[in-house]
Every structure is written in structure tokens, then in C-alpha cells.
Amino acid sequence: MRAWEVAEPGPIEGELLRFVEKPVPAPGPDELLVHVRACGVCRTDLHVSEGDLPVRRPGVTPGHEVVGVVAGTGGAVSGFAPGERVGVAWLRRTDGTCGYCERGSENLCPASEYTGWDADGGYAEYTTVPAAFAYRLPEGVDDVALAPLLCAGIIGYRALRRAALPPGGRLGLYGFGGSAHLCAQLALAQGATVHVLTRDPAARRLALALGAASARGAYDEPPEPLDSAILFAPVGDLVPVALRALDRGGVLSVAGIHLSDVPPLRYESDLFYEKELRSVTSNTREDGREFLALAARHGIRATTHVYPLERAREALRDLKAGRFDGAAVLVNDRPPQS
């Protein structure tokens, strides 16, 4: 099969992400073999390719927003049929026995594994996934539209929950890429007032088109104090900016897996009056199931830009340079092998 691999982590402007031929993977006893039809391009893929996230698997194939069909199953799998459409997301496996898993916080499992980091992901014609971590997908939505929901959407949903937005509250979104533009749609559907703060003029236009009350520069003040804010941009300098924008008792959640260094915080201006700063770590499968149901109910759709699979490196370069709004999606047009 054709697949991309990180030959060596380094700047995406180089040639270290390579398009190669690999054997079709064999599913383990509890796994599905999935023929990839679409795979979203996530900023985490960029972090893996460039080495911001330490390499866990030499020559790993990135990609963890996969929509595909079951092409085979391991011997211990039941309940999935060949040809059934499934989703593959970032969280690939947990031990299921540690204290975090037992209390419903499997996203904190120390033994957790991740698609496109610990195991080969969806920048390929085939990938595998433990059947227990595959998502059943709603009908009536095409592959390209669904792909970004499987990470950008799910992590945005968890970040929104972590931000503790009150009913009808005022939400600030710092950065407005693939995850934020889905999170905004959900927050608006639930009655929030959304203010977007981002450097990208095209993203500001998209935010207003989706219903945001305002869209300003990333370092600007929002037009009113915020009850909650989510930092999607991987820019530590924005943490004190967002904290100062919060009203008393407000919460800032940081959605990214990678963040540049945060400058010193001033207690009185940045944290006093019971403001809270929270991180977000991956997601649980329940987060994923809840978000996919909400997305179907509220008609949440990604703004997408399609690239063929062989142009994955170009898609990541465009993501890094901010050349598109919404989300990029790789499409594999080759039929399954017989």
C-alpha cells in the first residue's frame, strides 16, 4: 500500500516526511483492518512530523481522523462486518485496569496509546484500530465532512466541557482552525455568545459567517468580559492575554497537546478573583460518542479543503503557514485491494 512515514522528525518544509510503499498491516486479534477513505489533517500530525512530540515509533505514519470501511477483522472481534463504515481517532488503546480508567478518566491512563504516534495512522491506504476504540459513524454525512470531527471535533468538545461555560455564557476562542470552528458551532447551538480572537483574516471571516458575535486579532480585547475561554492556538504568550479577558470566576482551558512556553503570570491581574487555568488531555471514548451524537443533532459541519493522499506533505505545509480556514482532509481514491 501507499503510505507516508516520518523518516526523521524535522521541519515540514523539508523532505523528511516521505511517501513510500509499505505492507498492508495485519490486524491483531482484537483489531479491525480499515481501508482508509478520508483522513483529516490535524495540527498534532504536524507536531509529530516536526518532532515537537517525541518520536514513539520510528517511521510512523501520521493521521488520526480516519473515516474508512472494515476490510478485515482479528479472530477475537465480533460485531463488525466487512464494508461497515467506521471512524478511527487519536486515542487508540488504554489498559482498562488502572485507577484512571476505572474512574472514567481513561484519557489519563499512563499506558494509553495513540493513533499516528504509537501506531501507524491514516496517512495511508490502510490502518488498524482496536475494535473497542472504533467509532460507529452517523449516516447521511460524507466521509470528508466526518473526518475532522474525529479529533478536531472531539477535542474541541472536551475543551468546551473543561471550560465550564455557563448556560448562555460568553465564550472566547483563541485561534480558529479545525477544532475551534467546530467547537464554535456547538457552543452557538447551545446558546452561547462566541467571540473569536485570531490572527488570520480568513478565519475571522469564517467565524462571523458561522455566527460569532465578534472576530478580532489574537491579542485584542474581546468586546465584553468572558465567562470562559479556550486556547486552541499553540502559543503560550496568549495564556495571560486570555486570562486577563476573563470575568471574575472565569475559566481558561488549553486545548492543544503542545504549547510554546507560557510567560510569567501576574497573580493580581491574571489569576485573582478565582479565575482558573485548566489543561485538556486527549479525550475519552464517551466524549467521542457524545460529540458525534451532538454533531448529528445540531448539523455541525467542518469547512473542509480536500487534498489527495499523495499531497499530504503539502497539506501540512499549508496548515503550518495558515493558508486555509477550517480543516484539510486527505482523500484516498484507490479501491480496496481484492
Side-chain angles (χ1 to χ4, degrees), residues 16 90 196 205:
L16 296 175
W90 175 237
V196 170
R205 290 192 293 271

Side-chain angles (χ1 to χ4, degrees), residues 28-173:
D30 65 342
E31 294 179 349
L32 308 175
L33 175 65
V34 177
H35 176 246
V36 177
R37 299 205 303 210
C39 183
V41 177
C42 179
R43 188 165 291 275
T44 301
D45 303 332
L46 183 62
H47 294 319
V48 170
S49 298
E50 295 199 317
D52 296 321
L53 296 179
V55 172
R56 288 189 172 182
R57 177 184 175 91
V60 70
T61 294
H64 57 275
E65 297 179 340
V66 178
V67 176
V69 295
V70 176
T73 62
V77 173
S78 61
F80 286 92
E84 182 177 352
R85 189 167 68 157
V86 294
V88 182
W90 175 237
L91 184 66
R92 176 181 175 84
R93 192 186 294 275
T94 61
D95 63 22
T97 60
C98 70
Y100 302 102
C101 288
E102 289 181 347
R103 76 184 194 201
S105 300
E106 66 180 3
N107 60 307
L108 302 179
C109 175
S112 56
E113 297 177 5
Y114 299 93
T115 309
W117 193 18
D118 293 291
D120 287 339
Y123 286 25
E125 294 179 319
Y126 289 87
T127 190
T128 61
V129 62
F133 286 80
Y135 287 95
R136 300 185 187 276
L137 299 176
E139 300 296 330
V141 184
D142 66 49
D143 299 337
V144 170
L146 276 171
L149 304 187
L150 288 161
C151 178
I154 293 171
I155 202 66
Y157 173 63
R158 185 166 186 89
L160 183 60
R161 290 181 56 204
R162 293 281 292 161
L165 181 68
R170 302 158 295 177
L171 174 67
L173 301 179

Side-chain angles (χ1 to χ4, degrees), residues 138-304:
E139 300 296 330
V141 184
D142 66 49
D143 299 337
V144 170
L146 276 171
L149 304 187
L150 288 161
C151 178
I154 293 171
I155 202 66
Y157 173 63
R158 185 166 186 89
L160 183 60
R161 290 181 56 204
R162 293 281 292 161
L165 181 68
R170 302 158 295 177
L171 174 67
L173 301 179
Y174 288 80
F176 202 70
S179 191
H181 90 292
L182 296 169
C183 179
Q185 292 177 58
L186 179 57
L188 287 164
Q190 295 178 333
T193 299
V194 175
H195 299 288
V196 170
L197 302 112
T198 181
R199 66 181 183 179
D200 183 10
R204 292 198 291 269
R205 290 192 293 271
L206 176 60
L208 294 173
L210 290 173
S214 73
R216 299 183 175 184
Y219 291 86
D220 293 340
E221 289 187 16
E224 59 182 337
L226 305 172
D227 298 302
S228 302
I230 304 173
L231 177 58
F232 287 100
V235 181
D237 284 348
L238 286 172
V239 169
V241 173
L243 285 169
R244 286 193 291 271
L246 292 174
D247 204 350
R248 299 182 182 206
V251 176
L252 170 63
S253 68
V254 179
I257 191 172
H258 171 77
L259 187 70
S260 60
D261 289 345
V262 178
L265 300 177
R266 296 184 66 245
Y267 180 68
E268 186 171 345
S269 61
D270 300 342
L271 286 171
F272 197 52
Y273 295 118
E274 299 193 350
K275 297 178 183 181
E276 295 184 46
L277 173 61
R278 299 178 177 179
S279 66
V280 178
T281 300
S282 185
N283 62 273
T284 67
R285 282 171 286 176
E286 187 60 24
D287 290 331
R289 289 188 286 264
E290 288 176 2
F291 173 72
L292 290 172
L294 288 168
R297 182 184 313 160
H298 295 299
I300 294 169
R301 296 289 183 270
T303 296
T304 54

